[in-house]
Amino acid sequence: MSMTNPAPTSLSRVAENGALLKQDMSARARVIENAIDALLPPTTGGDARLIDAMRYATLGGGKRLRGYLAMTVASLFDVPASQSARTAASVEMLHAYSLVHDDLPAMDDDDMRRGQPSTHRKFDEATAILAGDALQTKAFEILASAQTHASADVRIDLISCFAEASGAAGMVGGQMIDMEGEGRALPLDEVRHLHALKTGCLIRYSAECGAILGQATPDLRKRLRSYGTSIGAAFQIADDILDTTATAEELGKTAGKDEASGKSTFVALLGIDGAQKEATRLTELAVAELEPFGARADRLRDLAYYVIERRN
Amino acid sequence: MSMTNPAPTSLSRVAENGALLKQDMSARARVIENAIDALLPPTTGGDARLIDAMRYATLGGGKRLRGYLAMTVASLFDVPASQSARTAASVEMLHAYSLVHDDLPAMDDDDMRRGQPSTHRKFDEATAILAGDALQTKAFEILASAQTHASADVRIDLISCFAEASGAAGMVGGQMIDMEGEGRALPLDEVRHLHALKTGCLIRYSAECGAILGQATPDLRKRLRSYGTSIGAAFQIADDILDTTATAEELGKTAGKDEASGKSTFVALLGIDGAQKEATRLTELAVAELEPFGARADRLRDLAYYVIERRN
């Protein structure tokens, strides 16, 4: 690992390095897309419709932020892309399952996702429920495979962290608190806690899984985990800001929905300026964790700034 | 393993050994219940409602057929109950998640389950969707834990088989085919295939996971897997027969529902006599696989007959 050229941490990075990041994200997104396509091949048998729905929910779009994090952190440790792409595909499938279920009428009742009909609108509710269920299973199945990593211990480590991040004490728990909190004003610490679970845990895992694949030392793993925690929190604040300021066309989904549904957001609690300050503070915390990696972590630095500067 | 006293395989076993089996199933059901209770402790935090729903869906009832299979097969190999009870709890959680999602209005739309309101009726649809999701995650998390087995290879083996049995190529795939087949007459081979996936795979896994925990030789594992496949198929035929002949009180759920919803059943295709003959044939196939285990497998023999003789 190169220790030379510790990178600057100012916001000017975004303009300087935005193009490099964009290029790198696109390249990795294609690799992840191909991995998902290969892991979920279309079929013609009785399961054709289920597989179609799973493919619809996971392929063809999205920034692949979680998968990009996994692959880019893993690359710090020279993990082959063939391994890290599988892990990235797994986390993207889990993310997709959560979106499919969140969009259901009984949940957030969203008709659109990434500018397309959401899965239950394209297919039907039963198919969307089952496709989400099977995507979660598939995500675990991929991690258990020897193709993901030769060492069973590493695979078990991935699966344990993944389950913790995505279950009742993580993503699903956060979604539940979010549903319960609708229509009443939550204090700032509860909003923080809810988002740390709902979106934060899986983004943190996405960074940490790269460190697990790379068999990082406990110290480096802890740093990458903290990096993930901070950008996960910044990501959600940026999302709240976007929901207020971006158009539906930019978002590819209904805008202003949080306010309409009475959800407590960072913007409602801190104002747009306050929310932006908080997001910047978290980004700088994230970037500080990357110090031992020197210039090799430049794309992860860029990503931290990108998370709060993006328009969709 | 004792090789003495190869047991008789006639239907007279049921009367002779029914009481012993019943006692053994009740004892193990209590152990499994306690394991689930310990693995899903109630909380008072923001996740209290989600955990409550997960506990509601998994605790307090059911025959624990899958968990019983797991523990009883594992006991052939002297696996400590503390390990096999965790594996049993895991498969029961997965089974429970599938029931919670199957009962949803968009799926089978069932208000009752085991004589109680189904989870979405007791809580609400969103909570039921999330509780099912989190139960699936928890089931994988338990298998990944070192408390389930000291060897990471054994845990990975469990997780791989579990994912295969429960995902798009297993239980969820079968549920999808079932939804798509509603209202039209399926030929016998399609009905067989659908049930092999929908209920058969998880029952097969329940037997196989005991063999995995016990680090069985490939031959014994294959036999226990076949045993599981056969009783899984017999179980579903018996279920179809029960749906026609049992009362709602006996079933703890709506009776005659298959016929009302236009589902293709073994009874519709083979008649009650034909279905009973087929179930008996499968049971005898299952029992034949137990030959190398001698008298130690008596409860598994009893179980094979119980599966087709039960009234609920």
Side-chain angles (χ1 to χ4, degrees):
Chain A
M1 191 175 70
S2 157
M3 290 298 188
T4 59
N5 185 20
T9 56
S10 83
L11 275 171
S12 67
R13 293 196 59 81
V14 181
E16 288 164 32
N17 298 326
L20 274 175
L21 176 67
K22 216 168 168 176
Q23 205 173 23
D24 202 37
M25 285 185 84
S26 300
R28 290 220 201 273
R30 275 192 302 276
V31 171
I32 295 166
E33 195 89 359
N34 290 341
I36 296 171
D37 182 51
L39 287 160
L40 272 182
T43 58
T44 54
D47 56 351
R49 186 176 166 86
L50 180 63
I51 302 286
D52 279 354
M54 292 167 77
R55 289 173 60 84
Y56 181 79
T58 44
L59 288 168
K63 297 175 292 288
R64 306 291 183 201
L65 169 69
R66 291 156 193 80
Y68 181 75
L69 264 171
M71 290 192 77
T72 307
V73 169
S75 75
L76 293 176
F77 303 94
D78 300 315
V79 174
S82 57
Q83 285 182 4
S84 64
R86 293 176 61 90
T87 310
S90 161
V91 71
E92 289 291 343
M93 284 183 195
L94 196 107
H95 177 54
Y97 120 67
S98 79
L99 299 180
V100 171
H101 283 189
D102 283 1
D103 286 344
L104 287 168
M107 306 270 289
D108 291 350
D109 193 12
D110 243 314
D111 288 347
M112 298 290 281
R113 171 68 63 183
R114 293 181 188 142
Q116 301 289 329
S118 45
T119 304
H120 68 277
R121 296 291 294 171
K122 179 76 177 180
F123 294 83
D124 55 62
E125 273 188 65
T127 305
I129 293 167
L130 293 172
D133 289 345
L135 281 169
Q136 178 176 189
T137 320
K138 188 76 190 174
F140 280 102
E141 188 183 324
I142 292 165
L143 294 183
S145 157
Q147 288 178 268
T148 298
H149 198 282
S151 152
D153 283 314
V154 166
R155 285 178 271 152
I156 284 290
D157 201 347
L158 288 172
I159 292 166
S160 296
C161 288
F162 195 45
E164 196 196 329
S166 61
M171 183 186 79
V172 174
Q175 177 64 13
M176 184 75 210
I177 299 173
D178 198 17
M179 298 295 304
E180 285 189 280
E182 260 182 46
R184 65 190 179 87
L186 298 177
L188 184 59
D189 59 343
E190 279 188 46
V191 174
R192 268 193 232 277
H193 175 63
L194 129 66
H195 291 300
L197 295 180
K198 189 183 169 187
T199 51
C201 281
L202 200 62
I203 292 177
R204 185 204 67 216
Y205 162 81
S206 302
E208 191 174 10
C209 73
I212 296 171
L213 275 178
Q215 300 182 266
T217 62
D219 174 60
L220 292 184
R221 175 167 169 177
K222 191 165 159 254
R223 281 177 168 269
L224 290 162
R225 188 180 155 96
S226 296
Y227 165 84
T229 301
S230 295
I231 67 164
F235 179 86
Q236 185 56 47
I237 297 174
D239 225 46
D240 281 3
I241 297 170
L242 278 173
D243 190 74
T244 314
T245 59
T247 64
E249 199 184 343
E250 283 175 309
L251 290 178
K253 62 180 180 182
T254 318
K257 219 175 135 87
D258 294 340
E259 201 181 340
S261 67
K263 286 198 179 178
S264 303
T265 69
F266 288 103
V267 171
L269 288 158
L270 300 169
I272 290 190
D273 279 0
Q276 264 159 350
K277 252 183 215 158
E278 173 75 352
T280 303
R281 185 186 70 83
L282 287 162
T283 296
E284 284 164 358
L285 271 180
V287 168
E289 298 288 1
L290 300 175
E291 188 271 325
F293 299 97
R296 288 196 73 175
D298 272 356
R299 291 298 81 72
L300 292 173
R301 290 185 185 89
D302 299 338
L303 184 71
Y305 290 105
Y306 161 79
V307 154
I308 59 169
E309 294 286 320
R310 70 205 159 89
R311 291 300 298 163
N312 61 49
Chain B
M1 192 176 69
S2 157
M3 290 297 184
T4 58
N5 185 21
T9 57
S10 84
L11 274 170
S12 67
R13 294 197 59 82
V14 181
E16 288 163 30
N17 299 326
L20 274 175
L21 175 67
K22 217 168 167 175
Q23 205 173 23
D24 202 39
M25 286 185 82
S26 299
R28 291 222 201 273
R30 275 194 300 277
V31 172
I32 295 167
E33 195 89 0
N34 289 342
I36 296 171
D37 182 53
L39 288 160
L40 272 182
T43 59
T44 54
D47 56 352
R49 185 174 165 86
L50 179 64
I51 302 285
D52 279 353
M54 293 167 75
R55 289 173 59 85
Y56 181 78
T58 45
L59 288 169
K63 296 175 292 289
R64 306 293 183 201
L65 169 69
R66 292 156 192 79
Y68 181 75
L69 265 171
M71 291 193 74
T72 307
V73 170
S75 76
L76 294 176
F77 303 93
D78 300 316
V79 174
S82 58
Q83 285 182 2
S84 63
R86 293 176 62 90
T87 309
S90 161
V91 71
E92 290 291 343
M93 284 183 195
L94 195 107
H95 177 54
Y97 119 67
S98 79
L99 299 180
V100 171
H101 283 188
D102 283 2
D103 286 343
L104 287 168
M107 304 271 287
D108 291 350
D109 194 13
D110 243 315
D111 287 348
M112 298 290 280
R113 172 65 65 183
R114 294 179 189 144
Q116 301 289 329
S118 46
T119 304
H120 68 277
R121 297 290 295 171
K122 178 75 177 182
F123 294 83
D124 57 61
E125 273 187 63
T127 304
I129 294 167
L130 293 171
D133 289 346
L135 281 170
Q136 179 176 187
T137 320
K138 188 75 189 175
F140 281 102
E141 188 183 324
I142 292 164
L143 294 184
S145 156
Q147 290 177 265
T148 298
H149 199 282
S151 151
D153 283 313
V154 166
R155 284 178 271 152
I156 285 290
D157 202 347
L158 288 172
I159 292 166
S160 296
C161 288
F162 195 46
E164 195 196 330
S166 61
M171 183 186 79
V172 175
Q175 177 63 13
M176 184 74 210
I177 298 173
D178 199 18
M179 299 295 302
E180 285 188 279
E182 261 182 46
R184 67 189 177 89
L186 299 178
L188 184 59
D189 60 342
E190 278 189 47
V191 174
R192 269 194 231 277
H193 176 64
L194 129 66
H195 290 301
L197 296 179
K198 189 183 171 189
T199 51
C201 282
L202 201 62
I203 292 178
R204 185 203 67 216
Y205 163 81
S206 302
E208 191 173 9
C209 73
I212 297 172
L213 275 178
Q215 300 181 265
T217 62
D219 174 61
L220 292 184
R221 176 166 169 179
K222 195 168 155 253
R223 281 178 168 268
L224 291 162
R225 189 179 156 97
S226 296
Y227 165 83
T229 300
S230 294
I231 68 164
F235 179 85
Q236 186 55 48
I237 297 174
D239 225 46
D240 281 2
I241 297 171
L242 278 173
D243 191 74
T244 314
T245 61
T247 63
E249 200 185 342
E250 283 175 310
L251 289 177
K253 62 181 180 184
T254 317
K257 220 177 134 80
D258 293 341
E259 201 182 340
S261 67
K263 285 198 181 179
S264 303
T265 69
F266 288 103
V267 171
L269 288 159
L270 300 170
I272 289 192
D273 280 358
Q276 264 160 349
K277 253 182 217 159
E278 173 75 354
T280 303
R281 186 186 70 82
L282 288 162
T283 296
E284 284 165 359
L285 271 180
V287 168
E289 298 288 1
L290 300 175
E291 187 273 324
F293 299 99
R296 287 196 74 175
D298 272 356
R299 290 299 81 71
L300 293 173
R301 288 184 187 90
D302 299 338
L303 184 70
Y305 289 104
Y306 161 80
V307 153
I308 58 169
E309 295 286 321
R310 70 205 160 88
R311 290 301 299 163
N312 60 50

